[in-house]
Amino acid sequence: MQLKWLALAAVTAVLAAIPLLPSMGTQPVSMVRDTPVIQNHSHPNLLVENVFHLTEGVDVDERLLTTANVYYFERAAVAPGVGVSELGFLYGKPTRPGTYNAMISMCKGGTCTREPITIIVHKRASWSPSQLTFPGRVGVMIDGEIEIEGAPRGVLPTFTVIDPRQLPPGITIGPDGHVGGVPTRPGVFAVPVRICVASDCSGVVVRLMIA
């Protein structure tokens, strides 16, 4: 009788252990991910700017700037004809106007977080600067603006001085098109400037005539 009870106890122990073992032919679920993705935004300001204005049919010339220089990006499509590269460059040529919201993955040290960006694609417009010549006098403040006519509503043009050495001493042209400062030397100065409206860019010459 004692042997019978011992055998029964052994069978009971084996049956109790069976649910703890994976079934034959079934792979156990791994709890480790090579690149974990953080869905909650523990760092809400990873991008300096997350809204980008582009122009239909014009090659993209934009980059996603981060608040730290240790991030890389997972390649992804963010709008029709437009993608983002590992270095954060927007590339391609928009094929359809509209507003497109996308989630991009920014990674650091094997861990990624998803950030939203908005791509606004405008129809191509004929824009032009309304003033490129600014008179002035030595020792007198210049306070002017390079204004743009024909730009899409809500789009701010950007201005880049190609060769700052051509500026009159004491004068600057800001990225917003503001021409200002106090000139210290007379002369006629031709300054090459690149103007971009929704990634549609053109080169112009700004003339400053200082008496």
Side-chain angles (χ1 to χ4, degrees):
M1 180 65 68
Q2 186 176 5
L3 292 176
K4 179 179 179 181
W5 281 107
L6 289 175
L8 180 61
V11 171
T12 302
V14 171
L15 292 175
I18 289 176
L20 300 179
L21 300 176
S23 60
M24 295 297 292
T26 302
Q27 296 294 328
V29 178
S30 174
M31 300 301 293
V32 179
R33 298 184 61 177
D34 293 335
T35 308
V37 175
I38 303 172
Q39 294 295 341
N40 58 332
H41 290 263
S42 57
H43 302 284
N45 297 314
L46 294 178
L47 291 176
V48 176
E49 179 62 57
N50 65 353
V51 178
F52 299 89
H53 293 270
L54 308 178
T55 298
E56 180 185 14
V58 175
D59 289 324
V60 179
D61 184 19
E62 297 283 352
R63 186 177 186 182
L64 306 181
L65 299 178
T66 66
T67 55
N69 59 0
V70 293
Y71 288 94
Y72 65 92
F73 299 80
E74 291 186 352
R75 293 179 68 91
V78 294
V82 181
V84 61
S85 72
E86 291 89 345
L87 296 179
F89 287 99
L90 294 178
Y91 63 90
K93 185 180 295 186
T95 60
R96 189 167 69 245
T99 299
Y100 304 93
N101 298 308
M103 297 294 293
I104 59 171
S105 294
M106 302 173 56
C107 305
K108 179 177 69 173
T111 300
C112 297
T113 182
R114 292 174 65 79
E115 291 288 324
I117 65 171
T118 298
I119 305 294
I120 302 175
V121 180
H122 300 269
K123 291 184 177 180
R124 194 161 191 174
S126 296
W127 59 265
S128 61
S130 61
Q131 182 178 0
L132 293 175
T133 300
F134 297 87
R137 297 179 59 185
V138 172
V140 179
M141 172 73 72
I142 292 179
D143 185 12
E145 301 285 341
I146 305 174
E147 297 182 354
I148 301 297
E149 295 180 348
R153 181 176 299 179
V155 177
L156 295 177
T158 58
F159 303 80
T160 304
V161 177
I162 303 302
D163 186 0
R165 296 172 299 177
Q166 304 302 319
L167 284 164
I171 298 297
T172 61
I173 299 176
D176 57 353
H178 179 259
V179 181
V182 179
T184 60
R185 181 163 59 88
V188 177
F189 302 85
V191 185
V193 175
R194 186 170 185 252
I195 304 176
C196 294
V197 178
S199 283
D200 185 8
C201 302
S202 180
V204 300
V205 175
V206 176
R207 286 181 170 80
L208 294 107
M209 307 174 66
I210 310 301

